[in-house]
Amino acid sequence: MSESDRSTLFELMGGAETVRRIVEAFYPKVQQHPLLAPLFPSDIGPVIDKQYLFLSQFFGGPSLYSDAHGHPMMRARHMPFPITVERADAWLGCMSEAMVEVGIPNDLRDFLLDRLKGSAYHFVNTPADE
């Protein structure tokens, strides 16, 4: 197995610095989105920090989120919020825009978003009309 075969998505996307840049580009978009903004606190700083920890781990980097907060249990953590398919789509759209802004190559961006789709749609817990 070559060195490149052992690379994680975390490494391929540029490691901690790139994950941080994506998260910091992502949340201003979320805060401006009419479907997403109401779900988030006005003090977005702690949310940004947790998302950085989670995405680092999710993409194969260090287990920062689990080390700080225990098992992610992301579906359970999102249950208090009304998440519709439309909101999942909006979340993924904001993430795609953030990745473009940061300069993630198209093929890698598509692959990363495909990985995130499973989680985004797994969190859906509310019909569209609510």
Side-chain angles (χ1 to χ4, degrees):
M1 181 184 292
S2 72
E3 184 66 30
S4 64
D5 291 336
R6 290 190 295 260
S7 294
T8 63
L9 287 174
F10 179 77
E11 293 165 333
L12 290 171
M13 62 194 294
E17 179 182 337
T18 301
V19 173
R20 176 60 76 176
R21 289 176 52 225
I22 290 168
V23 172
E24 289 178 355
F26 171 72
Y27 276 101
K29 296 168 188 353
V30 166
Q31 288 179 301
Q32 294 172 3
H33 197 288
L35 290 176
L36 300 177
L39 301 178
F40 290 87
S42 57
D43 179 9
I44 201 77
V47 176
I48 289 172
D49 292 338
K50 282 184 178 179
Q51 182 74 295
Y52 164 75
L53 299 176
F54 176 75
L55 287 181
S56 294
Q57 181 171 326
F58 182 81
F59 288 128
S63 59
L64 301 175
Y65 187 92
S66 292
D67 293 348
H69 302 286
H71 189 284
M73 302 184 308
M74 298 312 284
R75 180 157 168 79
R77 293 182 196 271
H78 287 80
M79 285 305 287
F81 306 101
I83 301 175
T84 62
V85 169
E86 293 80 10
R87 284 185 167 137
D89 289 341
W91 189 95
L92 289 164
C94 290
M95 184 59 74
S96 179
E97 290 174 20
M99 289 182 184
V100 168
E101 183 177 318
V102 168
I104 301 295
N106 291 344
D107 56 343
L108 180 56
R109 183 188 75 233
D110 291 346
F111 188 80
L112 296 172
L113 288 169
D114 194 53
R115 288 276 324 269
L116 288 168
K117 280 181 188 176
S119 296
Y121 295 119
H122 183 65
F123 297 162
V124 170
N125 60 19
T126 304
D129 57 358
E130 287 187 29

